[in-house]
Amino acid sequence: MAKRSLHAPEAQSVTFVELFFDLVFVFAVTQVTVLTAGDLTVEGVARSLLLFWLIWWAWTQFTWTLNPADTSHTAVRALTLLGTAIAFVMAASVTRAFGDEAAWFAVPYVLVRVVGLGLQVRIDLERADLRNRAISVWAGLSGIGLALVLVGALVDTPGRYWIWLGAIVADLVAAGMAGGRQEWDLDTEHFSERHGLFVIIALGESLIVAATAVSVDERTGSLVAVTAAALAVACLLWWTYFAWVKDAIEEGFASTPPEVLGATARDAFSLGHFPLVCGIIGFAIAIEEIVHHPSDVPSGEVTAALGAGVTLYVVAAAFSLWRTSRVILWPRLGILGLTVAGLAIVSTADAVWQLGVVAVGLAIIALVEARAPCIDVSNPLSERVADAKS
């Protein structure tokens, strides 16, 4: 009897083992949110960005690994569950990453990436006639960044910051050198679906953060007002990505020529969705603080977190669409600029007014994109994007 291949025999949808893996990483997102909320200074935010990049890179690497894999295969499932267990230790150690127990974060981080890289190489080796040499380049160069993460865990801050920043640079160099080589074995629909599900779970977690605060606070008119406004903003954030942009990104991605598919996936998803999820973190930080103090004027840091979070989310979605379809959503960007300006104007007003300005701006974006021709229909690809939007 022939040995069953680890490679999927045909295109597949996201499976439950992948969702289980994703949930652990979304828990890591909530841990980063807690860490950032506790230190809303420039240094604190920079430190959280550094840490979240490492977490995101581990997740996105495994996404590339499982994309062509047969996730019904026992070995693939077992290795994914092993990665899930290791990632749980990493996620639970996020708040220790810059203390004396940094190894509790760094070692699991390296292990989960090694599991992912090993499985990725093994799947590629099965395709003797179609092997992608770029995977070997990617796996080899990734070792540099992994070594730097381990070294950084042994060094006190601020040295750890610089060494881990070097690890990120090494990973970006590895991705740059590998991403444009040969034709990557990618199922575009599955790849897009994985990222969309991660975004929706992370967005849902931001609501859980607010709900936790609401569940313990005294019910007042101010609390009801800010909670309703926060829910409106969250729903409108969903709309600006999932109403039509996600489908348009996926369609443009599916139309990408095979020789540049890897580079497009790297830019639009692995890189482009990082600031999008950072935006969700910023939004979660802002609404948690606002809901806890509904009658107070938010601090400048909280207002900045709200504005930066919404901006990163909306702009990153527009960037991913541009990268896959070469379509620029000028009305979206213009309205967003006016919304941020409006938020600055009401920065000394009560939280409900700040959330109201953001909600109105996002609602106008949704209405304009639903009614106005944001797409250049003279381009055949843009016609397909317009169909996705409608």
Side-chain angles (χ1 to χ4, degrees):
M1 180 181 294
K3 185 177 179 180
R4 183 179 173 185
S5 173
L6 298 176
H7 192 281
E10 57 187 15
Q12 59 182 8
S13 299
V14 175
T15 56
F16 290 118
V17 73
E18 293 172 282
L19 286 174
F20 192 49
F21 179 82
D22 292 351
L23 285 172
V24 172
F25 277 85
V26 174
F27 169 63
V29 172
T30 64
Q31 292 295 92
V32 173
T33 301
V34 171
L35 183 68
T36 311
D39 188 6
L40 278 178
T41 62
V42 173
E43 180 181 353
V45 172
R47 182 176 58 185
S48 294
L49 283 171
L50 180 69
L51 189 61
F52 181 50
W53 173 266
L54 296 176
I55 295 167
W56 172 260
W57 206 241
W59 178 81
T60 197
Q61 176 207 297
F62 230 104
T63 300
W64 285 72
T65 296
L66 294 179
N67 184 264
D70 180 0
T71 50
S72 67
H73 194 292
T74 300
V76 174
R77 285 180 168 179
L79 286 172
T80 303
L81 290 174
L82 174 61
T84 302
I86 297 171
F88 175 81
V89 179
M90 178 196 71
S93 305
V94 163
T95 56
R96 302 170 186 262
F98 294 106
D100 296 333
E101 298 181 312
W104 281 100
F105 171 83
V107 172
Y109 167 79
V110 170
L111 288 177
V112 74
R113 289 207 48 199
V114 167
V115 170
L117 286 169
L119 180 57
Q120 188 175 23
V121 171
R122 181 65 184 84
I123 292 170
D124 186 58
L125 287 175
E126 291 188 349
R127 305 168 69 243
D129 297 333
L130 299 171
R131 284 184 60 193
N132 187 348
R133 306 296 178 186
I135 291 180
S136 299
V137 172
W138 157 246
L141 292 177
S142 292
I144 299 173
L146 296 179
L148 287 173
V149 170
L150 290 177
V151 171
L154 302 175
V155 176
D156 293 334
T157 55
R160 186 176 301 159
Y161 301 154
W162 294 107
I163 293 174
W164 282 2
L165 181 61
I168 292 173
V169 172
D171 283 336
L172 289 173
V173 170
M177 295 185 66
R181 295 181 176 218
Q182 296 186 247
E183 296 182 7
W184 282 78
D185 181 21
L186 290 175
D187 176 355
T188 56
E189 183 177 355
H190 179 272
F191 201 80
S192 176
E193 185 181 9
R194 282 296 302 278
H195 286 79
L197 287 171
F198 192 94
V199 171
I200 196 64
I201 296 172
L203 199 55
E205 284 292 329
S206 72
L207 291 181
I208 291 175
V209 168
T212 302
V214 172
S215 66
V216 298
D217 289 343
E218 181 184 356
R219 299 296 194 275
T220 64
S222 297
L223 178 62
V224 171
V226 297
T227 301
L231 287 171
V233 173
C235 292
L236 287 164
L237 286 174
W238 179 94
W239 194 276
T240 61
Y241 181 80
F242 289 100
W244 71 274
V245 171
K246 178 193 172 295
D247 291 338
I249 292 171
E250 183 177 319
E251 185 164 346
F253 185 40
S255 302
T256 301
E259 62 272 14
V260 294
L261 190 63
T264 302
R266 176 198 64 203
D267 296 345
F269 292 97
S270 297
L271 299 180
H273 277 59
F274 172 72
L276 193 152
V277 180
C278 285
I280 295 176
I281 293 174
F283 171 67
I285 291 169
I287 62 171
E288 179 183 26
E289 182 64 23
I290 288 172
V291 170
H292 269 306
H293 307 282
S295 300
D296 299 342
V297 176
S299 67
E301 291 82 2
V302 172
T303 301
L306 176 62
V310 170
T311 299
L312 286 171
Y313 183 95
V314 174
V315 171
F319 167 79
S320 295
L321 178 62
W322 170 81
R323 186 61 182 86
T324 57
S325 307
R326 290 300 187 266
V327 171
I328 301 177
L329 298 178
W330 291 114
R332 166 182 292 226
L333 300 178
I335 296 167
L336 178 64
L338 293 174
T339 301
V340 173
L343 181 60
I345 292 171
V346 299
S347 60
T348 57
D350 291 344
V352 68
W353 289 103
Q354 296 187 21
L355 289 168
V357 166
V358 173
V360 169
L362 294 176
I364 292 173
I365 289 174
L367 289 172
V368 168
E369 291 182 350
R371 296 173 179 272
C374 301
I375 308 297
D376 177 10
V377 295
S378 64
N379 185 314
L381 176 59
S382 296
E383 288 180 356
R384 294 194 293 273
V385 175
D387 290 340
K389 191 187 82 164
S390 62

